[in-house]
Amino acid sequence: MTDPDDGARLAAALSGRLASLTFVDRTTEQVTELLIDAIAGWGTAQGWRVYRRAASVVPLPPPMSGQRSVIDIACARPAAPPVVIEVDHTDRRRTVEKLLAEADAGRVPIWVRWGARGFVEPPEPVRMVTVPVTARRGEAGARLHSRQPARQLPPPEHRAGPVAAGPPDSLFDPTGGS
């Protein structure tokens, strides 16, 4: 039996790793590939075997029902259940179904969702990692996505000496300063 907190710990660790990922004006395909690369790097850094486009337990629908669907990233962990990770920028029902089937097969399912809109939590035991981005239309009309670190603004300057009282500013004087 798998540890129910394993998925939560893994999702939190992956979220922390992806929090530092930044990019500017990337296409949908480029963002997805950047995320997959970052996730593969995270899995490798854990000492796991990482497989891209690994076979899923879910068969493809007809007419290709003899073949299997694929998972974006699968990680084989020593002495622990495998981790399967799907990366999407849209809310796909088929992805949720696939991850639930993977969970039924004993794998730890994580759904990495990225985009500029709200994210709907998937059913248990699927864990979600969100990667908010901004989007804009490029010159050719293509949708471009960016993710930049939050700007840390310095605190405002303060006067070194005491503040002296002066005449009221007319902006704040209820009589209009006259």
Side-chain angles (χ1 to χ4, degrees):
M1 184 166 159
T2 61
D3 176 3
D5 295 329
D6 192 26
R9 282 192 300 269
L10 292 168
L14 180 56
S15 181
R17 175 68 174 256
L18 296 179
S20 63
L21 186 65
T22 62
F23 48 88
V24 176
D25 288 347
R26 300 292 179 109
T27 65
T28 299
E29 293 78 19
Q30 289 171 330
V31 173
T32 298
E33 201 55 43
L34 274 171
L35 287 167
I36 289 172
D37 288 346
I39 294 164
W42 171 74
T44 300
Q46 307 302 314
W48 304 334
R49 287 184 316 226
V50 174
Y51 303 93
R52 293 171 186 248
R53 299 193 50 77
S56 171
V57 298
V58 176
L60 288 172
M64 300 184 298
S65 52
Q67 300 175 29
R68 296 278 172 199
S69 183
V70 295
I71 293 289
D72 291 323
I73 296 280
C75 301
R77 303 183 296 162
V83 180
V84 292
I85 304 166
E86 281 286 281
V87 178
D88 286 313
H89 75 283
T90 59
D91 190 14
R92 297 181 58 215
R93 182 178 57 90
R94 181 150 170 78
T95 297
V96 172
E97 291 169 356
K98 185 188 322 182
L99 289 171
L100 288 171
E102 294 292 333
D104 288 344
R107 295 168 175 93
V108 179
I110 299 175
W111 193 13
V112 174
R113 286 285 317 278
W114 68 271
R117 298 186 186 182
F119 305 105
V120 176
E121 281 295 322
E124 290 288 334
V126 177
R127 299 295 179 186
M128 181 182 289
V129 172
T130 59
V131 181
V133 302
T134 58
R136 70 176 188 85
R137 290 272 177 215
E139 290 178 17
R143 200 148 176 84
L144 300 175
H145 310 279
S146 298
R147 179 177 169 87
Q148 297 177 341
R151 288 187 341 180
Q152 297 296 325
L153 298 176
E157 297 273 335
H158 294 285
R159 295 185 183 162
V163 177
D169 188 340
S170 63
L171 177 65
F172 299 107
D173 184 354
T175 64
S178 31

